[in-house]
Amino acid sequence: MTWQAEIDGGRCIASGMCAGIAPDLFALDAEHARPLADEVPEEERVLDVADSCPAAAITVRDGATTVGPRP
């Protein structure tokens, strides 16, 4: 099973937390982070990435349901 990870380029401050936690799933470009694929695995660390983003720029979705960041 997979989820979709979205990064809001307007909120992203390129802290690198996502790439540090999951370098096989996220990359840091010059100005923003980005997911390396359209889909990410349903793994706890993907939710950790969304939870750890200091700008709250990462949203993880399971279809139409938002699963991360967690409240």
Side-chain angles (χ1 to χ4, degrees):
M1 302 299 286
T2 58
W3 291 328
Q4 295 76 42
E6 302 167 358
I7 298 180
D8 181 339
R11 296 183 83 168
C12 180
I13 60 172
S15 73
M17 292 291 292
C18 56
I21 294 170
D24 57 319
L25 301 175
F26 296 89
L28 184 61
D29 292 336
E31 295 181 18
H32 299 98
R34 63 179 172 82
L36 293 175
D38 291 334
E39 297 181 336
V40 293
E42 289 185 20
E43 296 178 1
E44 184 74 17
R45 69 187 176 125
V46 173
L47 297 176
D48 291 343
V49 165
D51 294 344
S52 299
C53 179
I58 301 172
T59 303
V60 180
R61 299 185 194 284
D62 183 2
T65 304
T66 299
V67 295
R70 294 171 277 201

